[in-house]
Structure formats: C-alpha cells, structure tokens
Amino acid sequence: QGQLVESGGGLVQAGDSLTLSCATSGRNFSLYAKGWFRQAPGKEREFVAGISRTGTNTFYADSVKGRFTISRNNAKDTAYLQMNSLKPEDTAVYFCAASGGIVRDWSTSGYFDYWGQGTQVTVSS
C-alpha cells in the first residue's frame, strides 16, 4: 500500500534550524509530487511547501517563504524540509504527503493521496 514516514522533529529555540525527512516504504513514491503540511493545536491543517515529481518546481506558503526549503532525492525516495529561522508560530505537527496525480492547487490537501503520521516541531521563544 505504501507509507510515508516523517522524522527530524524536535524541540528547538526561536532562530534555530531543523531538517525534516520523509522516507517511504512499501511503494515507489519517487514519481509522486510531494508536499509538507502542518497542523497547530486548535487550527486546521495548512500547506507549507510542495515539490514537483522531478524537483524542478517548488511552492511555498507565504508564511515560510525565504525560511524553509523543500527538496527531494528520488534515488533515495526521500523528501526533505529544511527549516531555518524558526519562530514559535511554526510550532505544529508536520505531515508529509504524496500525490500520484496532478496537483492543481498545492494548498489543497485533497490532491494528496498518501500521508505520513506526522512529526512534532516545537519552537520555544
């Protein structure tokens, strides 16, 4: 069936950096578009960043543009989210997602078929 597994979350201070990884198992996701979403307590899940199948195109939410970088290594079938200059408002559970179809709106979670269980990122002030 295929699974996505996030790792790399943790507790950091404001201004620190973290890199999240999204590994896969049970299915080849190397040709899937991938995205990162996050959900803070009491809030809806929101789009963070997305990357096309080949990695040619990347997309970011305005709130993370210039601070976060999404990338992928298709040989390892792994996606990454490099997060710099973290802020307390970045605190959330971060989810990796994969889409086997055409993503017409990266901010819409419905375009993504597979989801990981999430990894907690906590940024203290």
Side-chain angles (χ1 to χ4, degrees):
Q1 186 75 335
Q3 288 186 321
L4 305 176
V5 181
E6 303 93 338
S7 62
L11 172 62
V12 298
Q13 293 186 332
D16 285 351
S17 298
L18 271 179
T19 299
L20 305 183
S21 298
C22 174
T24 65
S25 66
R27 188 183 190 96
N28 185 352
F29 287 99
S30 63
L31 297 181
Y32 281 59
K34 291 181 178 173
W36 287 94
F37 289 74
R38 67 187 181 187
Q39 187 166 17
K43 295 187 177 182
E44 293 187 352
R45 189 173 298 188
E46 65 174 0
F47 168 74
V48 175
I51 189 165
S52 60
R53 289 168 177 74
T54 60
T56 302
N57 298 307
T58 56
F59 309 86
Y60 297 94
D62 288 343
S63 59
V64 306
K65 202 170 292 183
R67 298 188 298 122
F68 289 12
T69 301
I70 188 172
S71 61
R72 65 191 297 161
N73 183 328
N74 283 348
K76 296 183 178 181
D77 203 359
T78 301
Y80 307 93
L81 185 67
Q82 172 70 42
M83 305 184 294
N84 298 328
S85 302
L86 282 162
K87 304 175 181 180
E89 50 263 46
D90 294 319
T91 295
V93 177
Y94 284 70
F95 298 89
C96 177
S99 172
I102 298 173
V103 181
R104 302 188 185 281
D105 181 352
W106 288 86
S107 65
T108 301
S109 61
Y111 283 103
F112 294 86
D113 313 296
Y114 296 87
W115 292 83
Q117 293 300 306
T119 185
Q120 176 70 46
V121 173
T122 303
V123 184
S124 63
S125 57

